[in-house]
Amino acid sequence: MAATRQKIKRRRRRIKTSLPAAASIVSCVSGADSRCQSEHRNIEGIIVDMSAAAAPGTSKGAHSDVTGRRKKGPGALATAYLVIYNVVMTAGWLVIAVGLVRAYLARGSYHGLYYSIEKPLKFFQTGAVLEILHCAVGIVPSSVVLTGFQVMSRVFLTWAVTHSVKEVQSEDSVLLFVTAWTVTEIIRYSFYTFSLLNHLPYLIKWARYTFFFVLYPMGVTGELLTIYAALPHAQKTGLYSVTLPNKYNFSFDYHSFLIIVMVSYIPLFPQLYFHMVRQRKKVLGHTEDYSKVE
């Protein structure tokens, strides 16, 4: 019994000792104690200051994340449009390729194959003008000037030379540049399509940065020979030429203009060609080095 009484006394002492601490905790929680209220306010102030200090960094980080995402590529709508555009262009040049093969098998000769693909060639090559617009509005991160030069030079050859000078349409040189364009564009538009979908097969990437070694010189040779073949006819007929006198006091000799176009290939072609060589080293260089190590 004595031991039980001593235990009860110890418990009562513990309860009495803990009551002030419990009251202090309750008063702090309820905010009744002025000292606790002050400490509570100080803690709130620290939390607010920390939040305010963190907010700008968080906002800046979020902004940089959004900016980074924007820099990665076009938006969802622009990407969908570019995928559709590149798929259509790939299909169009495939139609041209199939047309060339079918015409060759039917005739048994490569002479005059241009007439079998004349309409789709004009349509899809002219459709490439949209690429200049893509660069201008910013949905494709390429130079407007460089893209414009490449596209318009082909459009010029399609309409102002091959279409306008009927005599050159049966030239073998036309088939030369048409074949080079066809293979190049099928690879190029396929490359863009798969890149936009983030599923680029290595074979297409390799073809994009390898076939140009042959296709670029082949295409340029065909273009120059076709322009050269058009010179006598342009001079004889005065095609697109303007002579004096006239009310605008202006003259233009299309024959001389074609010669200037041919001369312009001398400084421009090497730049484009070696640009692709540098791009190949940049894109395929690491992969090839890795395969050599293995």
Side-chain angles (χ1 to χ4, degrees):
M1 293 289 295
T4 303
R5 288 176 182 175
Q6 287 179 357
K7 287 181 180 180
I8 294 172
K9 286 180 181 180
R10 289 195 199 101
R11 288 177 181 175
R12 286 177 179 175
R13 288 195 200 100
R14 288 174 184 171
I15 292 170
K16 288 180 180 180
T17 306
S18 61
L19 282 174
S24 177
I25 293 171
V26 172
S27 64
C28 282
V29 173
S30 62
D33 193 330
S34 61
R35 181 174 60 83
C36 289
Q37 286 180 346
S38 175
E39 292 178 357
H40 183 67
R41 284 194 296 270
N42 290 337
I43 293 171
E44 285 183 342
I46 293 171
I47 293 172
V48 170
D49 291 341
M50 290 174 67
S51 300
T58 305
S59 175
K60 186 176 180 180
H63 178 69
S64 63
D65 289 343
V66 172
T67 306
R69 284 195 296 269
R70 287 177 182 171
K71 288 181 179 179
K72 286 180 182 177
L77 186 62
T79 301
Y81 161 74
L82 288 174
V83 168
I84 294 171
Y85 172 79
N86 285 289
V87 167
V88 170
M89 295 299 284
T90 303
W93 285 97
L94 280 170
V95 168
I96 295 172
V98 172
L100 286 172
V101 173
R102 290 182 62 184
Y104 174 77
L105 294 175
R107 297 182 183 185
S109 172
Y110 59 85
H111 295 292
L113 293 183
Y114 170 79
Y115 302 104
S116 63
I117 48 87
E118 179 178 5
K119 291 182 179 179
L121 175 67
K122 290 177 180 177
F123 180 82
F124 288 104
Q125 186 56 70
T126 305
V129 174
L130 288 174
E131 293 183 35
I132 305 173
L133 181 62
H134 298 163
C135 297
V137 299
I139 60 175
V140 174
S142 298
S143 168
V144 178
V145 176
L146 183 60
T147 303
F149 170 77
Q150 291 176 320
V151 171
M152 293 311 298
S153 63
R154 289 189 176 187
V155 172
F156 170 80
L157 196 68
T158 301
W159 288 99
V161 179
T162 310
H163 170 76
S164 301
V165 184
K166 306 294 183 182
E167 290 81 1
V168 303
Q169 294 177 0
S170 58
E171 294 285 336
D172 295 340
S173 59
V174 173
L175 180 62
L176 195 63
F177 75 72
V178 168
T179 303
W181 289 5
T182 302
V183 178
T184 299
E185 297 300 63
I186 290 172
I187 295 172
R188 188 169 70 92
Y189 287 117
S190 299
F191 175 87
Y192 291 152
T193 301
F194 285 107
S195 295
L196 288 165
L197 296 174
N198 295 320
H199 292 288
L200 178 62
Y202 178 77
L203 180 62
I204 293 179
K205 181 168 70 171
W206 179 85
R208 163 74 170 147
Y209 293 103
T210 303
F211 281 24
F212 77 90
F213 280 119
V214 175
L215 294 175
Y216 268 32
M218 178 179 170
V220 167
T221 302
E223 292 168 20
L224 287 174
L225 289 175
T226 301
I227 296 173
Y228 181 78
L231 287 176
H233 306 285
Q235 187 176 32
K236 182 179 179 180
T237 60
L239 179 68
Y240 299 138
S241 296
V242 180
T243 57
L244 291 171
N246 56 67
K247 63 178 181 180
Y248 300 106
N249 196 29
F250 167 79
S251 64
F252 174 74
D253 184 32
Y254 186 62
H255 175 266
S256 300
F257 178 74
L258 289 178
I259 295 174
I260 294 172
V261 170
M262 293 180 67
V263 172
S264 70
Y265 276 73
I266 298 173
L268 294 175
F269 170 70
Q271 294 184 37
L272 294 174
Y273 187 80
F274 288 111
H275 170 73
M276 286 299 295
V277 172
R278 290 190 295 270
Q279 288 295 106
R280 187 182 193 278
K281 290 181 179 179
K282 186 185 299 183
V283 175
L284 300 181
H286 299 297
T287 306
E288 292 181 350
D289 291 342
Y290 180 75
S291 62
K292 288 178 182 177
V293 170
E294 287 187 337

